[in-house]
Amino acid sequence: MISLVLGCVLQGAFVLALAPGVNGFIKWLKARMQTRQGPPLHQPYLDLLKWLGKSSVYSEHASWVSRTAPSISFSAIIVTGLLVTTVLAQAPLSLSGDLIAVVYLFTLARCITALAGLDAAGAFGGMGSSRELAISALAEPVLLLALFVPAINTGTTSLPHIVAAAPGSNSASYLLAFAALYIVLLAETGRVPVDNPDTHLELTMVHEAMILEATGRGLALYHWGAMVKQLVLLSILADVFVPWGLALSIDSVGKMAVSALLYLGKISVLAAALAVTETGMAKLRIFRVPDLMGTAFALALLGLAAEAAFHA
C-alpha cells in the first residue's frame, strides 16, 4: 500500500512538472522554425503561476457546473497520467484500469468541460462545446481501434503488459496504428490542422472557445490538464510503439537515469514532430476535419485487420 501511494505521488509529480515543459518546448521550436523569437521554454510555468495566483470570476448565469468542472476535468486527466507508463515499465494504477479506462477518462474530462462551456450561457462557449463533441465522436473510435492493435498482439489491454512485450513481427500493423494515433493526437490536443491553440479567433476556436469564460485558478486547471493530456498521449506513442529502454524497477539508480533520458528523448522527438506538423500545415476548415479523421480511421482499421490476420 505504501509503495502504491509513493508510486502515485512520484509519477503524478513527474507528469505534472514535465507537461508544461513539453508544451513550452513545442512553442519554442515552432517559433524557431518560423524565424521568430517566441516565448521562452519556461513560459507555460509562468502562465500557470499567474493564473493560480488569481481568483475566479463567474458569469451571473453560471451554476455549480462552472465552479466544479475545472477540478473534475483536471482530476480525470491526472488519473490517466497514473494509468500510463513513463520512465518505469509499470504504472501506479495499472491494476485499476487499462487503455480503455484512459479513453473513458478523456471522455469524462471533455464532457464536463463542454458542459461548463454551455453553462456560462455564452455564444462562443456553446459553439466550442458542439465542435469539440463532434470532433471527439470522430476521434475516439480511431483512438480505440489504434490501441487495439498492440492489444491484439499481446492479448491484453493492460498498458504495462503491452509495453513489456516488444512490438510484434507484424510491424506494418504497428506503423499503421502509430500513424492513426498520431492524427488522433492532433485532434485530441487541439493542434493544427484540427485546431489552433495559439489563437483566439472566434470563428475558428474549438477548445479555447469552451474555456473562454474561465478565469483564475479554473483557467489554470484547464490549461494544465490539457498539457498533461498531451503528455499522456505522447507517452502512449513513445512507450507502446517504442518500448525499449524502460526501467523495470527503481532499484538501480543507473537504469532509472538511462530510462529517464531515453523517455525524454522519445518525448522530445515526438514534440518536435508536432512542431514540424504545425509549421508545415495550415488549419483545416471545420468541415474538412471529418476527412482527416476518416483517413485516420482507415489507417487504424487496416492496422487492426492486418494484426488480426497475422494472429489468425
Side-chain angles (χ1 to χ4, degrees), residues 46-251:
L46 299 178
D47 292 337
L48 289 176
L49 288 175
K50 177 184 66 175
W51 293 324
L52 288 171
K54 295 184 176 182
S55 59
S56 298
V57 179
Y58 300 100
S59 167
E60 60 180 3
H61 304 288
S63 67
W64 61 270
V65 174
S66 295
R67 291 169 171 81
T68 58
S71 300
I72 296 175
S73 175
F74 185 72
S75 300
I77 298 295
I78 290 302
V79 174
T80 65
L82 302 178
L83 290 171
V84 302
T85 59
T86 52
V87 176
L88 284 173
Q90 296 292 328
L93 296 182
S94 59
L95 297 179
S96 302
D98 54 7
L99 289 174
I100 298 177
V102 171
V103 176
Y104 278 104
L105 285 169
F106 283 160
T107 303
L108 172 61
R110 178 185 297 110
C111 288
I112 192 64
T113 306
L115 284 176
L118 294 170
D119 185 63
F124 293 123
M127 180 184 66
S129 297
S130 63
R131 289 179 174 180
E132 178 74 11
L133 294 178
I135 293 174
S136 69
L138 301 172
E140 284 178 6
V142 181
L143 179 59
L144 284 170
L145 285 178
L147 294 177
F148 282 158
V149 172
I152 288 178
N153 179 51
T154 56
T156 178
T157 56
S158 174
L159 189 57
H161 288 87
I162 292 175
V163 171
S169 56
N170 188 20
S171 58
S173 60
Y174 269 69
L175 288 175
L176 291 169
F178 182 90
L181 197 56
Y182 182 79
I183 296 175
V184 171
L185 170 65
L186 299 175
E188 288 284 345
T189 56
R191 294 200 164 272
V192 176
V194 178
D195 191 14
N196 190 348
D198 298 326
T199 183
H200 280 79
L201 184 60
E202 289 86 353
L203 296 180
T204 63
M205 288 189 297
V206 181
H207 180 266
E208 293 294 328
M210 289 194 300
I211 63 174
L212 198 62
E213 299 288 340
T215 57
R217 300 182 186 91
L219 184 61
L221 292 180
Y222 279 135
H223 280 288
W224 206 352
M227 296 174 193
V228 172
K229 180 180 180 179
Q230 177 179 259
L231 180 59
V232 168
L233 290 171
L234 289 174
S235 298
I236 292 175
L237 278 172
D239 288 347
V240 170
F241 296 95
V242 192
W244 301 286
L246 294 179
L248 299 178
S249 66
I250 60 175
D251 297 335

